[in-house]
Amino acid sequence: MSNIEKFENLVIGSGGAGKFVAWTMAGAGHRTAVVERWLLGGACPNVACLPSKNIIYSAKVISLARRGAEFGLKTESLSVDMQTVQRRKRLMVEGLRQRHADRTKASGAELIMGNARFVGPRTVEIDLKSGGKRSVSADRVFLDLGSRAAMPEIPGLKAANPMTHVEVLDLERLPQHLVVMGGGYVGLELSQAMRRLGSKVTVIEAGPQLASHEDPDVGEVLRDMFVDEGIEVLTGTEVRQVDGRSGDRVRVHADNANGKRTIEGTDLLIATGRKANTDGIDLELTGVQLDAHGYIKVNEQLQTTSDNIWAMGDCAGSPMFTHVAFDDFRVVYDNLNGGNRTTKNRLIPFCMFTDPELARVGRNESEARRDGIEYRLAKMPMAEVLRTRTVSEPRGLMKMLIAKDSDEILGFTALGFEASEQMAAAQTAMIGRMPYTMLRDAIFTHPTMSEGFNELLAAVPARGTAMSA
């Protein structure tokens, strides 16, 4: 090829890790190009984390309005205007896009909008969105390719043209009956939101419980919450075939322990997992290897199997959270500047933004049992935290795992009002290697959710008393 442009750094993908690599490298005076084929900033600010939480909060407000009489609010009638719901979300997204554009420009990074394909180890040809092509090579390449919703191999499913989270978050109409395949993060967050906005909703989960990676008691509370809100929940249910077309009429044929079942709805949402965007970019020409699931093989410093090529975020098999992608950036950047940061033993928190929230950091009981770790358990209903009584949100539970023979905190789970904020306090204690007694004995403001730690940890079993082996 002729007219190959040379850069010090080439970043492919502008998501949670890639944008910070580009901004930081360029800001430090290194000639840096970032290639984005879709939307600057990647999924999180455009079609995923932040837009979904925006819609979820609209649904929360509507839910509270429907409970108005409980709080002394008299309402004659209540209706939902989906166009206004979408307008609020779009205004937020437009602001975030402008923020990303401004920061990219200020950093000095060159933004190239288009599709990149490798033609050599660190050389790409880019089909520009504006037309034409550019050829770029770099001393260092950083891959932040992201992921997309996976489409299960089920007869008739693809032909039914189901929605993913991207399409459902753009709806300006209310599905009459939304059928959701998947009882994980995406499926549960959006199922509840759409139900509160006014849709009839059915959730189908192949596993024995909702939120399959959580403890059974958490899954049970989630199920009860959803059923109480009028959501039909079908667990242990395998989808065998799909007929019809989402947006009109769709029939989902499934079976479970009770026999065969056909669920008829108007719309279908797929939320059964993610797939790395590692195809279609000719990575085989770089020496970068993939694992059996299509994720890029990396070491603990996120180096690929090819010299001077790093992978970060979803495509590298990192836990699929924006906060993890940001830490991937820190791992890569610190090591390029003489540090010794790795991905090993990272304490990664998460929150599922159902209402109430589910938040966890560290191990849960299921993981401790799986790994043969003995622990002591502190557990109580969320209603014991008096703050929940003031806001009429008593649902849920909180629990902490503590080492059998020391006061080390092994993990914390909360399902309830402001659970994510409670988790942050537990995470801080774990990062500082504080014994659980520091939280037990701390003076927290009353009434707050944090003071729940005083009650939760007041009667932890004595050392040497194991809940499970």
Side-chain angles (χ1 to χ4, degrees):
M1 294 189 308
S2 59
N3 300 321
I4 299 177
E5 303 172 65
K6 181 72 174 178
F7 288 82
E8 291 179 73
N9 305 296
L10 172 62
V11 184
I12 302 180
S14 65
K19 63 187 179 186
F20 282 102
V21 170
W23 293 341
T24 307
M25 292 290 192
H30 302 288
R31 190 175 186 221
T32 301
V34 55
V35 182
E36 175 54 58
R37 68 178 181 179
W38 188 29
L39 298 167
L40 179 60
C44 177
N46 289 291
V47 297
C49 313
L50 297 176
S52 67
K53 306 312 172 280
N54 184 290
I55 297 293
I56 287 167
Y57 192 74
S58 289
K60 168 71 171 179
V61 171
I62 291 163
S63 173
L64 286 172
R66 289 200 176 100
R67 295 171 58 191
E70 180 182 345
F71 298 97
L73 176 66
K74 295 181 178 180
T75 56
E76 295 298 326
S77 62
L78 182 68
S79 62
V80 175
D81 181 353
M82 283 299 293
Q83 292 186 346
T84 301
V85 170
Q86 286 293 343
R87 187 178 305 119
R88 189 179 80 90
K89 184 207 73 176
R90 281 195 297 268
L91 287 172
M92 181 199 72
V93 171
E94 288 167 5
L96 292 170
R97 288 176 179 170
Q98 188 59 54
R99 182 173 181 268
H100 279 77
D102 291 345
R103 188 161 180 181
T104 302
K105 182 177 180 180
S107 74
E110 182 172 352
L111 174 62
I112 304 173
M113 298 299 296
N115 283 286
R117 284 180 177 268
F118 282 96
V119 293
R122 292 188 301 279
T123 303
V124 297
E125 185 175 82
I126 306 164
D127 290 322
L128 302 173
K129 276 193 172 182
S130 59
K133 298 179 183 293
R134 286 177 69 173
S135 299
V136 172
S137 69
D139 299 324
R140 295 183 293 249
V141 173
F142 305 90
L143 303 172
D144 185 26
L145 307 177
S147 64
R148 62 186 184 273
M151 183 76 69
E153 294 291 333
I154 295 172
L157 179 59
K158 188 174 182 180
N161 195 30
M163 296 183 290
T164 69
H165 69 281
V166 177
E167 293 80 25
V168 78
L169 288 172
D170 263 348
L171 285 177
E172 292 195 352
R173 62 175 178 85
L174 272 175
Q176 182 179 342
H177 182 182
L178 178 66
V179 181
V180 179
M181 288 177 55
Y185 289 69
V186 175
L188 295 182
E189 287 184 355
L190 296 180
S191 294
Q192 186 184 49
M194 296 308 293
R195 175 59 184 157
R196 290 178 166 189
L197 290 168
S199 294
K200 180 180 178 181
V201 177
T202 299
V203 177
I204 303 173
E205 166 58 38
Q209 66 173 62
L210 299 179
S212 61
H213 296 295
E214 300 310 308
D215 290 333
D217 54 355
V218 172
E220 183 179 353
V221 173
L222 281 169
R223 183 189 184 103
D224 289 345
M225 284 168 34
F226 273 48
V227 171
D228 285 347
E229 293 201 30
I231 297 172
E232 182 182 26
V233 177
L234 302 175
T235 52
T237 302
E238 291 280 353
V239 175
R240 301 302 183 187
Q241 184 174 332
V242 177
D243 298 326
R245 190 169 181 84
S246 180
D248 179 23
R249 184 184 179 193
V250 64
R251 291 173 298 279
V252 178
H253 305 281
D255 56 58
N256 56 29
N258 296 320
K260 297 184 182 300
R261 170 82 185 272
T262 298
I263 302 97
E264 294 197 11
T266 57
D267 296 81
L268 181 61
L269 169 65
I270 296 299
T272 54
R274 308 285 297 173
K275 179 180 180 180
N277 292 327
T278 52
D279 50 348
I281 195 171
D282 294 338
L283 280 173
E284 63 274 11
L285 299 178
T286 68
V288 170
Q289 296 178 8
L290 305 180
D291 67 16
H293 302 288
Y295 295 97
I296 296 172
K297 291 183 179 180
V298 293
N299 62 17
E300 292 176 357
Q301 294 185 328
L302 297 170
Q303 297 167 318
T304 70
T305 52
S306 183
D307 290 341
N308 292 318
I309 301 180
W310 291 260
M312 307 165 294
D314 293 6
C315 70
S318 295
M320 293 183 177
F321 303 108
T322 297
H323 47 283
V324 176
F326 176 69
D327 193 64
D328 281 1
F329 149 70
R330 294 190 294 195
V331 169
V332 170
Y333 189 75
D334 285 1
N335 290 323
L336 287 173
N337 287 277
N340 188 31
R341 195 167 185 153
T342 76
T343 59
K344 187 176 181 179
N345 297 325
R346 292 191 290 189
L347 185 62
I348 296 174
F350 73 83
C351 183
M352 183 168 70
F353 289 90
T354 49
D355 180 31
E357 301 167 348
L358 169 62
R360 177 157 68 90
V361 62
R363 296 180 187 273
N364 62 16
E365 292 191 80
S366 301
E367 292 170 344
R369 293 190 186 106
R370 178 197 66 197
D371 297 335
I373 296 173
E374 296 182 310
Y375 63 91
R376 292 178 282 163
L377 178 67
K379 176 181 174 180
M380 73 179 191
M382 195 61 77
E384 294 298 314
V385 186
L386 297 183
R387 173 65 174 162
T388 67
R389 308 297 184 95
T390 69
V391 294
S392 297
E393 294 286 358
R395 298 173 296 175
L397 57 86
M398 59 189 297
K399 59 182 178 177
M400 182 176 287
L401 275 63
I402 300 158
K404 173 189 172 186
D405 296 316
S406 74
D407 290 341
E408 177 189 2
I409 301 170
L410 302 177
F412 175 75
T413 300
L415 173 56
F417 178 69
E418 294 187 350
S420 58
E421 304 303 330
Q422 282 186 313
M423 177 195 64
Q427 179 187 0
T428 301
M430 293 172 73
I431 290 171
R433 299 187 180 279
M434 295 165 52
Y436 84 88
T437 53
M438 296 292 286
L439 289 174
R440 181 196 67 189
D441 299 337
I443 301 174
F444 294 104
T445 302
H446 174 76
T448 62
M449 294 304 296
S450 295
E451 70 175 341
F453 288 112
N454 298 146
E455 184 75 17
L456 174 69
L457 302 173
V460 173
R463 286 191 186 186
T465 305
M467 276 291 301
S468 177

